[in-house]
Amino acid sequence: MIEQTLKQTFGYDGFRPGQAQAIRAVVAGRSAAAIFPTGSGKSLCYQLPALLLPHLTLVVSPLLALMADQVTGLETRGITTCAAINGMLSMPERADVLDRVRLGDIGILIISPEQLRNNSVRKALSQR
């Protein structure tokens, strides 16, 4: 199932060094630490398992541009169950994302670190 999702969703025939081990560990329910240089495929190590697992994948990133790129990249691959929450969202946009989290419509949520202190974010996460 992992290789099939890799090919069908991401268009790759194989993994880069280190990716397969990290992805297999996460899909099997184990913890994994993956430290790769920039541009070597770290994102796939959470994106692919997020598509295969039934729970919410929470990604904490301090980089707003990276957050937007991640969501856009996933959406261009047809993955619409992703969203980002950061200080740039309007209140209605934030409320919509949090509602989608509570309803289980979000599989990958990318948030900035300060959002972990936000009560409405923590409440939505706990309800999920």
Side-chain angles (χ1 to χ4, degrees):
M1 183 61 101
I2 293 173
E3 283 78 9
Q4 182 180 1
T5 303
L6 177 70
K7 179 66 174 171
Q8 288 179 344
T9 304
F10 296 96
Y12 301 131
D13 292 321
F15 292 105
R16 292 181 180 176
Q19 287 179 321
Q21 296 87 338
I23 290 167
R24 289 185 202 297
V26 172
V27 170
R30 296 188 313 270
S31 296
I35 302 170
F36 302 137
T38 300
S40 62
K42 292 181 291 293
S43 299
L44 187 68
C45 293
Y46 68 80
Q47 291 173 347
L48 196 153
L51 298 177
L52 299 174
L53 297 171
H55 48 72
L56 175 70
T57 296
L58 181 64
V59 179
V60 180
S61 174
L63 304 173
L64 298 181
L66 178 63
M67 294 169 77
D69 287 348
Q70 292 289 312
V71 171
T72 300
L74 289 166
E75 288 175 343
T76 61
R77 295 184 186 285
I79 302 165
T80 59
T81 58
C82 60
I85 295 179
N86 57 54
M88 304 300 288
L89 291 182
S90 68
M91 290 307 280
E93 291 170 325
R94 170 190 285 283
D96 177 61
V97 171
L98 292 177
D99 285 343
R100 291 175 59 208
V101 168
R102 284 185 202 93
L103 293 170
D105 293 340
I106 299 292
I108 301 173
L109 179 64
I110 306 171
I111 65 172
S112 54
E114 67 273 7
Q115 297 303 317
L116 293 171
R117 291 189 305 251
N118 183 293
N119 287 333
S120 61
V121 171
R122 291 196 338 235
K123 184 176 180 181
L125 291 173
S126 71
Q127 291 172 337
R128 173 71 189 272

